[in-house]
């Protein structure tokens, strides 16, 4: 009897402990759920497709990810490099990706073709595109290029800007001999062409790093100053998920402001995102970008209809754009505020 009594007492003790633990676990579960809601909410996954390969041209986005700005906005952002095989407008407008970076001209050209893309903020307020020559050539203006063979990158904002420069300089079609080129600087360095189309933040620096002095022919010398890289999404994304759009835009702009304020750190972060990137080159690229990012001292990312109008006029003048587009539908400052 004593044995059974002892076992009964022991069984009751175990049941009481189990009940207490169950209650504690239940309470902890309730608290844990609240904690998840408050600080461990599941992040929304979104994809950003860049305009080109990973480099300091996109440093602000890397900073926004590394510093946790996207996470603070409730977002898990995957940054994918772009290029001719992964054109950002097509990737985003198809709905397979959420945000992209492209030239401002491509926003208008794509809308004319039926792609419902909308610019959310401008990154490079002034275009980094220039023509440049080797200093030893003595060619330093558009007028100097008449009768010369130059490299031309066809089909993008580089071609648009070059043709607008030639038009502003009063140069007739055919007066400059053109050779289609891509990205290898060899034709310039070997004298096959006399001028090269490139970015002052990249190819110009690359030529200088190889010991060449250069003359830069800038679009601004001919009254041309187009918006360049812009952040964009689709009309559908804006309509269906404006909170995600707002969080992404504001976190991105916070990242860009940090990159401007800390260019050396921005370059260090950049080299983590691309294979074989050189820190010295990326630092030079980042520092060269700052005047273009802050070109008119307007609030970071904010766009002006007058600038879009000037871009559209040039697109129409050179025949890239066939019809005027509805500019207020092509861009919005709503999510920068």
């Amino acid at each position: 009897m004593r044995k059974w009594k002892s076992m009964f007492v022991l069984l009751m003790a175990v049941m009481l402990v189990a009940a207490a633990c169950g209650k504690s676990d239940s309470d902890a579960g309730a608290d844990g759920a609240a904690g998840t809601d408050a600080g461990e909410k599941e992040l929304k996954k979104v994809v950003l497709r860049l305009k080109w390969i990973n480099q300091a041209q996109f440093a602000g986005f890397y900073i926004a990810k590394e510093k946790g700005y996207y996470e603070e906005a409730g977002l898990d952002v995957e940054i994918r490099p772009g290029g001719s095989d992964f054109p950002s407008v097509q990737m985003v407008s198809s709905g397979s990706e959420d945000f992209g970076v492209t030239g401002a001209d491509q926003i208008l050209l794509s809308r004319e073709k039926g792609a419902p893309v909308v610019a959310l903020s401008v990154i490079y307020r002034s275009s980094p595109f220039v023509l440049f020559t080797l200093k030893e050539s003595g060619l330093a203006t558009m007028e100097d290029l008449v009768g010369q063979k130059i490299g031309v990158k066809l089909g993008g904002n580089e071609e648009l800007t070059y043709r607008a420069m030639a038009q502003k300089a009063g140069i007739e079609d055919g007066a400059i001999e053109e050779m289609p080129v891509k990205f290898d600087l060899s034709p310039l360095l070997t004298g096959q062409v006399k001028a090269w189309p490139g970015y002052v933040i990249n190819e110009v620096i690359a030529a200088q790093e190889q010991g060449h002095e250069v003359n830069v022919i800038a679009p601004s010398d001919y009254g041309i100053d187009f918006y360049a890289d812009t952040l964009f999404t689709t009309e559908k994304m804006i309509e269906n998920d404006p909170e995600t759009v707002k969080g992404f835009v504001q976190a991105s702009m916070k990242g860009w402001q940090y990159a401007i304020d800390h260019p050396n750190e921005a370059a260090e972060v950049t080299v983590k995102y691309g294979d074989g990137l050189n820190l010295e080159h990326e630092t030079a690229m980042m520092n060269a970008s700052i005047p273009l990012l802050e070109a008119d001292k307007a609030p970071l990312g904010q766009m002006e209809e007058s600038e879009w109008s000037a871009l559209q006029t040039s697109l129409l003048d050179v025949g890239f754009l066939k019809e005027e587009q509805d500019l207020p539908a092509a861009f919005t400052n709503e999510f920068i505020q």
Side-chain angles (χ1 to χ4, degrees):
M1 178 69 73
R2 183 176 300 171
K3 179 179 178 182
W4 285 106
K5 185 174 181 181
S6 298
M7 290 180 66
F8 178 77
V9 171
L10 178 61
L11 178 62
M12 290 298 293
V14 170
M15 290 175 66
L16 288 171
V17 170
C21 289
K23 184 175 187 300
S24 176
D25 290 345
S26 175
D27 290 345
D31 292 341
T36 298
D37 289 341
E40 299 176 14
K41 186 176 180 180
E42 185 176 354
L43 300 177
K44 181 179 178 66
K45 293 185 177 181
V46 298
V47 175
L48 168 66
R49 177 67 69 172
L50 301 179
K51 177 183 175 182
W52 191 236
I53 60 173
N54 287 309
Q55 56 186 9
Q57 181 179 348
F58 310 109
F61 300 113
Y62 310 138
I63 288 288
K65 185 173 176 68
E66 290 291 309
K67 295 292 181 182
Y69 300 155
Y70 288 135
E71 189 172 347
E72 289 170 7
L75 302 175
D76 176 10
V77 177
E78 180 184 352
I79 301 174
R80 296 176 180 172
S84 56
D85 293 333
F86 301 100
S88 59
V89 171
Q90 284 89 327
M91 304 299 286
V92 175
S93 61
S94 70
S96 62
E97 297 173 354
D98 306 286
F99 300 95
V101 179
T102 192
D105 61 309
Q106 295 301 310
I107 298 293
L108 299 181
L109 295 173
S110 298
R111 288 186 67 86
E112 183 175 56
K113 295 174 184 175
V117 290
V118 182
L120 301 168
S121 68
V122 59
I123 309 303
Y124 280 79
R125 309 189 68 82
S126 184
S127 175
F129 174 82
V130 297
L131 290 172
F132 66 101
T133 67
L134 298 182
K135 202 171 190 67
E136 63 202 43
S137 72
L139 306 174
T141 68
M142 289 298 297
E143 292 80 1
D144 291 340
L145 300 181
V146 172
Q148 303 290 338
K149 181 188 287 188
I150 74 165
V152 177
K153 292 177 184 172
L154 300 174
N157 63 335
E158 291 94 345
E159 183 185 2
L160 165 67
T161 306
Y162 155 65
R163 299 208 183 282
M165 291 167 68
Q167 187 179 72
K168 288 282 189 178
I171 297 173
E172 296 181 0
D173 291 346
I176 297 174
E177 186 179 355
E178 299 173 0
M179 185 179 91
V181 296
K182 293 191 175 180
F183 309 104
D184 179 12
L185 283 172
S186 298
L188 174 69
L189 303 183
T190 60
Q192 189 177 356
V193 298
K194 294 298 185 180
W196 193 261
Y199 276 17
V200 72
I201 64 171
N202 194 4
E203 288 94 337
V204 169
I205 294 172
Q208 292 170 332
E209 287 171 344
Q210 294 182 50
H212 299 281
E213 292 186 70
V214 301
N215 294 320
V216 171
I217 306 171
S220 58
D221 296 339
Y222 297 87
I224 297 167
D225 201 12
F226 299 146
Y227 284 158
D229 293 6
T230 61
L231 177 63
F232 72 95
T233 190
T234 60
E235 293 175 357
K236 184 178 180 180
M237 183 73 171
I238 290 172
E239 181 180 352
N240 292 347
D241 200 350
E243 286 305 308
T244 292
V245 176
K246 181 177 181 179
F248 183 82
V249 171
Q250 295 194 356
S252 297
M253 293 303 97
K254 187 175 179 181
W256 272 108
Q257 187 61 63
Y258 189 96
I260 290 169
D261 294 339
H262 306 85
N264 292 343
E265 183 180 348
E268 291 171 0
V269 169
T270 295
V271 297
K272 295 164 59 176
Y273 280 78
D275 295 333
L277 294 181
N278 177 274
L279 178 58
E280 184 178 355
H281 180 80
E282 300 306 315
T283 301
M285 179 183 285
M286 187 63 225
N287 281 299
S289 293
I290 293 174
L292 307 176
L293 297 165
E294 298 184 313
D296 53 11
K297 302 302 179 183
L300 195 65
Q302 182 174 299
M303 298 169 285
E304 304 295 336
E305 185 167 344
S306 59
E307 297 293 333
W308 282 97
S309 181
L311 173 60
Q312 175 161 261
T313 297
S314 288
L315 285 166
L316 291 164
D317 287 347
V318 300
F320 283 25
L321 197 64
K322 305 304 179 186
E323 297 181 357
E324 287 190 2
Q325 298 301 297
D326 180 5
L327 295 181
F331 78 97
T332 177
N333 290 313
E334 174 186 357
F335 302 102
I336 299 173
Q337 311 303 326

